[in-house]
Amino acid sequence: RMSKGRFSTCKAPYGYRLVKDHLEIQEDEASIIRHIFDRYLAGVSMENIAKEITALGCPTRDGTQYWQLTSIQYILQNEKYAGDSLSQKKYTTRSFPRQQKINHGERKQYLVIDSHPAIISREIFQKVQELLTQRSAAIQMSPTLLRVKSCAVTAAHSAKGKIVVAL
């Protein structure tokens, strides 16, 4: 199914509805998605975007009245909003106990271009991906001053994302 380019999902992302195995745009939610992408490109943090959407009173897909940073991050990184679908982002192990893992190349992934209507343009999606990468790199490279029990500790992120503490 995936190798033939057929799109399938059991749960539509926020901004879409699943209608007969096809994603259709839900315009009231799609306007929130566009707002999220626009605000991030305007330099607003994911945390502040979550606060803004919560203040607007728009519930999440699950009916929660508040938005979290992780929800905003998921939306900003999800290629479905540009009209594409990447299958097998996660996979289930074959051995017991069965576990769901993020696919880092252990299994084939299938990218279907223009599998459904896009809520945002591919150009906007790409700009956001570049900005996410830049901000992530800036966080990993910049030293942070921490205060621990009145002692100044400088911490810097290493290339692997671990925090190195120098006393």
Side-chain angles (χ1 to χ4, degrees):
R1 178 179 68 204
M2 289 181 271
S3 63
K4 293 180 181 177
R6 288 192 218 140
F7 172 72
S8 68
T9 186
C10 57
K11 183 178 177 184
Y14 188 87
Y16 290 101
R17 289 292 178 265
L18 191 58
V19 180
K20 296 182 182 181
D21 294 330
H22 290 88
L23 289 178
E24 292 184 0
I25 294 175
Q26 182 74 26
E27 194 51 50
D28 57 332
E29 292 179 359
S31 65
I32 298 297
I33 297 298
R34 290 183 198 101
H35 179 78
I36 290 169
F37 277 85
D38 290 344
R39 297 296 288 154
Y40 191 74
L41 286 175
V44 179
S45 71
M46 288 184 261
E47 183 178 0
N48 285 336
I49 294 170
K51 289 176 183 177
E52 289 176 6
I53 304 298
T54 298
L56 290 173
C58 302
T60 66
R61 171 57 45 88
D62 299 327
T64 306
Q65 293 301 313
Y66 61 91
W67 286 69
Q68 298 180 14
L69 178 144
T70 54
S71 301
I72 303 301
Q73 183 179 29
Y74 176 80
I75 287 169
L76 291 172
Q77 293 175 334
N78 194 336
E79 79 289 339
K80 287 181 180 64
Y81 294 111
D84 303 333
S85 296
L86 180 62
S87 300
Q88 292 203 166
K89 293 179 192 177
K90 295 180 181 180
Y91 68 95
T92 303
T93 58
R94 293 181 179 143
S95 59
F96 289 104
R98 297 194 191 277
Q99 298 174 329
Q100 194 168 45
K101 294 188 171 193
I102 295 174
N103 187 355
H104 294 288
E106 297 88 354
R107 303 279 192 279
K108 285 184 181 179
Q109 292 184 315
Y110 303 94
L111 179 62
V112 181
I113 305 294
D114 295 326
S115 63
H116 56 277
I119 292 177
I120 58 154
S121 71
R122 191 166 276 110
E123 294 78 23
I124 288 175
F125 182 77
Q126 192 56 45
K127 285 179 185 176
V128 166
Q129 301 319 296
E130 291 167 8
L131 189 54
L132 284 166
T133 301
Q134 288 171 4
R135 288 185 179 174
S136 175
I139 289 170
Q140 290 179 1
M141 298 300 286
S142 68
T144 305
L145 185 63
L146 302 174
R147 295 269 177 212
V148 181
K149 293 185 181 181
S150 306
C151 296
V153 177
T154 302
H157 293 274
S158 70
K160 293 188 177 185
K162 296 184 179 179
I163 296 177
V164 179
V165 178
L167 297 174

